[in-house]
Amino acid sequence: MAEARIQTDVIFDIVSRDSLYERPIPERHRIVFYLGHLEAFDWNLLHDRIPGAKPFHAEFDRLFAFGIDPVGGGLPDDEPRDWPGLAEIEAYRRSVRTLLDAAVRSGSLREEEDDEFSAATLLNVAIEHRLMHAETLAYLLHQLPAEKKIAPLRAPAPVSSTPRPRMIEIPTGVATLGLAHNSIFGWDNEYDLNRRETPAFAIDQYKVTNGQYLEFMQAGGYDDRTLWHGADWEWKNPAGITHPVFWKKVNGSWQYRRMFDEVPLPLDWPVYVSQAEASAYSRWAGKELPSESQWHRAAYATPTGTERPFPWGTEPPELEHGYFDFQQWDPGPVNAFPAGQSAFGVVGLLGQGWEWTSSLFEPFEGFRPFSFYPGYSANFFDGKHFVMKGGSPRTAAVMLRRSFRNWFQPNYQYVYAGFRCVENRH
């Protein structure tokens, strides 16, 4: 828990104090909500397991309990004055941490005989929830103007040569998705283990780059209605969407909005776009987005028919395999990490940015919602969210496990997500 807190504390530390009540993304809460949310989540999840513990600030327990994921165009309209002051919130955070830490150190978190979930499982939930928010907060703050942030030191960027786009052939075979019950920790949507026969296809060796996406834009891709699904077109036009949200036109040239500054558009970096934009590009290119099972085949399968826990093999994620685990604030060239390639030679599947798929976020056979958090996944099995796989520079290493699934609405531009395309061979 302490390491996970470090990652979220680092995020809040880069925001100037007078900007904590800003709302960088219209669809999301103000930053100050998340300052209280992480402790409220931990408290609401665990306080029943602490002998003698009683709620000490029920109002904050409710106020900071849940984030939002607007579907259908509804946006929050609260004002900064509607939120408590920073001193109150910080006192709440300190109190929660003190109580929870004392219980964990003393080993007094109670096991409930009638509950299938152990205290250790709930601690894993709290830790991974916080680590997820370390990434959520990063892309949220990415949209905050640079002058409202305090830039930490950054590691040097990797060196690469200009990537040459090519496609890799993946033969027909089995893709193993999900987790077996009673194996390692996973979220409810990761269960149960299921195997899917996947016909042959070809997949881009690298993520689609900013340079490739610029060609799509220059060819009129945003104006060609035939490339867009009806709902995506109806979203794009009224909102005036004409380019990726991470791009900015300055004096006739494209600039890229990094976390703490702007630079000339890096043509060899992966493009970050919504699923709607990725789908339009794939149609323009005469290809498709991969399904979840196709992505798994490209990432984890081998020519001999076996499957790996990671694209590169069995060893845990290391710096040589890609940008992830909070190494960097921004991506780098798509071909910068050849050591992270899969058995078939597909590069950059973990790190540098999540990857959109064409698969709706749906339950696997055997899905059972967590009793302590029944809406975590089930609320989003609505036909309006799509699966993403992989990871970004701000994704914790623990969530690079093969079974982990991320998901967002197709019109959400802000997440660190790119894509690659496939061609079916059947």
Side-chain angles (χ1 to χ4, degrees), residues 133-366:
H133 273 292
E135 179 167 1
T136 300
L137 285 161
Y139 77 70
L140 184 83
L141 298 185
H142 210 114
Q143 302 305 314
L144 194 67
E147 62 270 17
K148 297 184 178 183
K149 291 178 282 193
I150 304 162
L153 294 175
R154 289 197 294 266
V159 177
S160 73
S161 59
T162 302
R164 295 184 178 181
R166 62 183 288 251
M167 300 199 81
I168 303 289
E169 298 290 333
I170 310 293
T172 296
V174 172
T176 303
L177 281 65
L179 280 173
H181 284 290
N182 302 317
S183 56
I184 65 172
F185 171 79
W187 292 86
D188 56 7
N189 66 76
E190 295 178 59
Y191 301 103
D192 198 0
L193 194 71
N194 64 102
R195 294 179 174 85
R196 298 181 181 178
E197 186 72 18
T198 307
F201 62 97
I203 190 167
D204 288 336
Q205 182 178 25
Y206 304 111
K207 288 179 172 69
V208 171
T209 64
N210 287 319
Q212 290 172 289
Y213 198 82
L214 182 60
E215 294 177 14
F216 161 72
M217 289 176 56
Q218 292 172 336
Y222 276 81
D223 300 317
D224 186 346
R225 186 165 189 164
T226 65
L227 300 176
W228 299 77
H229 289 302
D232 295 339
W233 182 262
E234 295 303 321
W235 157 74
K236 180 186 72 69
N237 277 6
I241 306 297
T242 60
H243 59 81
V245 76
F246 290 86
W247 296 17
K248 181 180 178 182
K249 202 70 167 284
V250 178
N251 297 325
S253 298
W254 288 110
Q255 295 284 108
Y256 186 87
R257 299 174 61 187
R258 299 196 300 186
M259 176 60 104
F260 299 104
D261 58 12
E262 296 175 2
V263 296
L265 184 67
L267 298 180
D268 58 354
W269 287 17
V271 65
Y272 286 168
V273 290
S274 66
Q275 203 263 4
E277 292 166 298
S279 294
Y281 174 96
S282 66
R283 263 183 230 96
W284 171 78
K287 304 175 185 179
E288 302 175 22
L289 293 181
S291 67
E292 187 174 6
S293 59
Q294 286 176 324
W295 195 94
H296 268 255
R297 282 282 297 158
Y300 304 114
T302 69
T304 62
T306 60
E307 292 178 291
R308 297 170 164 181
F310 300 102
W312 53 83
T314 58
E315 62 269 28
E318 299 289 350
L319 299 182
E320 65 181 356
H321 298 133
Y323 275 165
F324 40 66
D325 205 28
F326 312 107
Q327 290 180 51
Q328 286 279 25
W329 294 96
D330 301 287
V334 296
N335 60 344
F337 296 100
Q341 69 183 347
S342 74
F344 288 108
V346 184
V347 177
L349 289 151
L350 296 187
Q352 297 274 58
W354 293 92
E355 299 193 19
W356 287 108
T357 74
S358 61
S359 296
L360 286 169
F361 181 54
E362 296 176 326
F364 292 146
E365 185 176 352

Side-chain angles (χ1 to χ4, degrees), residues 85-99:
L86 291 179
E88 282 187 277
I89 298 171
E90 288 170 348
Y92 174 76
R93 296 173 75 223
R94 287 192 299 271
S95 296
V96 170
R97 290 189 181 191
T98 298
L99 290 165

